[in-house]
Amino acid sequence: GLLRIDHVGIAVADLDEALRFYADSFGLHCVHQETNEEQGVREAMLAVGDGDGPRLQLLAPLRPDSAIAKFLDRNGPGLQQLAYTVTDVEAAAAALRARGLRLLYDAPKRGTGGSRINFVHPKDAGGVLVELVEPASGGTPVG
Ligand code: MC0
């Protein structure tokens, strides 16, 4: 099942500019930054409050043909995805497939910090791109 909200992803055109905006306007700071070539993104994770809860993920495109670039072209900057932590991404994906939802990948891909990820197509999830995240640690609940 879904353990908790892992992060909320926001598409931005320029990562450095967005990081300055979130620091200056909301006092939110980056705790992790990484480039994911396969996903075509530069991404930053921002902690909220004590940092134990869900994070904010800023996603900037690396290439014009990437998912984030397409999203920005269509919608402009804004909420792009809702990610849930799961213990076992393959099991979670199989359970959703069995309920008739389309998963984007046959097998998990690599996400933030060595996590394993898959996505539910937004058309099968009420207009929300849902990401499943199995953390590198194996999804042990925090707190
Ligand atoms: C597209 N649609 C969305 C959407 N993206 N609806 C809600 N949220 C989104 N983010 C809607 C469009 O408006 C359109 O609706 C329909 O879906 C188009 O579906 P499509 O033609 O099948 O697909 P595309 O080409 O628009 O691509 C959407 C898709 C793509 C979700 C398949 O973005 C994708 O593969 N995403 C998964 C990978 C990803 O997002 N990577 C970046 C984050 P209408 O009604 O106009 O037909 S990387 C990440 O997140 C990693 C680093 C991590 O967290 O660890």
Side-chain angles (χ1 to χ4, degrees):
L2 308 176
L3 296 177
R4 60 180 178 272
I5 292 176
D6 189 275
H7 63 266
V8 175
I10 295 176
V12 303
D14 183 308
L15 191 63
D16 296 318
E17 192 180 301
L19 283 169
R20 278 193 296 276
F21 172 78
Y22 276 88
D24 295 348
S25 306
F26 297 114
L28 297 182
H29 296 281
C30 179
V31 291
H32 178 80
Q33 215 183 114
E34 136 179 12
T35 295
N36 188 322
E37 287 286 344
E38 184 178 34
Q39 292 293 331
V41 294
R42 251 188 94 201
E43 53 122 338
M45 287 291 189
L46 280 58
V48 183
D50 61 13
D52 283 347
R55 288 177 171 173
L56 204 67
Q57 181 184 46
L58 302 178
L59 296 155
L62 283 181
R63 303 182 288 269
D65 64 339
S66 62
I68 297 302
K70 280 184 77 172
F71 182 92
L72 289 168
D73 286 345
R74 199 187 267 140
N75 310 286
L79 289 176
Q80 190 256 352
Q81 56 167 265
L82 175 62
Y84 294 101
T85 312
V86 298
T87 308
D88 178 340
V89 69
E90 270 135 342
L96 294 170
R97 267 190 215 104
R99 293 170 197 150
L101 280 64
R102 277 170 296 164
L103 277 289
L104 293 185
Y105 308 137
D106 291 336
K109 293 190 189 284
R110 199 186 60 76
T112 311
S115 60
R116 300 168 76 232
I117 62 173
N118 206 336
F119 294 86
V120 181
H121 195 284
K123 290 294 167 191
D124 290 352
V128 177
L129 175 61
V130 169
E131 181 180 354
L132 306 172
V133 183
E134 178 189 322
S137 62
T140 309
V142 291

